[in-house]
Amino acid sequence: MGKIVLENIKLFGFHGCMPEEKYIGSHYTINLEIEFDFNQASINDDLSKTINYVDLYYIVKEEMNINSKLIEHLAERIIQRIKKYKKPLVKYTKVKICKENPPLQGYVDRVCIILDDY
């Protein structure tokens, strides 16, 4: 068993329930962790036996382009796309999505959600 981790993916999106979030948008930071058996890939040096992290990045990027009211919903869509992409390999997926400078009446660096899928 092993993991692929994509850390601090920086993207811009239009997610949120407040009207200004749909027009102004926000910066987001996404972390992705995928656990799977990459024994065959490591032995054979074969990309087809692993999960391509470039593909993972593009899944996250594509889902970020689909507006959601809740970043929880966005995280679930990302997980479902990853499972569909390499279903037999994926054993565990964890997505952390942080909205930078959320529109609150106080100063908060970011608001984050974490979704795990076993």
Side-chain angles (χ1 to χ4, degrees):
M1 234 17 136
K3 292 182 182 180
I4 289 181
V5 179
L6 280 75
E7 292 183 337
N8 296 324
I9 301 168
K10 306 284 188 189
L11 295 169
F12 193 83
F14 297 88
H15 308 287
C17 294
M18 300 176 76
E20 61 267 23
E21 294 175 297
K22 294 176 175 75
Y23 300 107
I24 299 169
S26 294
H27 292 277
Y28 292 83
T29 302
I30 302 100
N31 292 310
L32 188 61
E33 185 176 309
I34 312 294
E35 185 175 313
F36 63 102
D37 182 0
F38 56 66
N39 187 48
Q40 287 300 312
S42 62
I43 292 169
N44 297 311
D45 196 25
D46 184 353
L47 181 60
S48 71
K49 304 287 186 205
T50 189
I51 296 174
N52 188 335
Y53 58 80
V54 174
D55 293 339
L56 294 174
Y57 172 80
Y58 281 108
I59 287 171
V60 171
K61 188 174 178 181
E62 287 172 5
E63 290 302 323
M64 278 295 295
N65 286 328
I66 301 169
N67 299 355
S68 292
K69 293 177 189 169
L70 304 175
I71 55 177
E72 293 89 332
H73 179 69
L74 172 61
E76 179 64 28
R77 288 198 331 260
I78 290 168
I79 287 174
Q80 292 308 314
R81 283 274 308 274
I82 291 167
K83 285 170 66 174
K84 190 175 179 182
Y85 162 65
K86 285 283 189 169
K87 187 172 187 161
L89 285 179
V90 176
K91 304 297 180 207
Y92 167 77
T93 306
K94 178 179 179 180
V95 178
K96 178 179 178 183
I97 301 175
C98 298
K99 181 184 287 192
E100 308 297 329
N101 301 311
L104 301 173
Q105 291 186 345
Y107 183 75
V108 177
D109 283 342
R110 66 186 57 93
V111 173
C112 303
I113 64 97
I114 298 172
L115 186 59
D116 296 292
D117 186 71
Y118 295 91

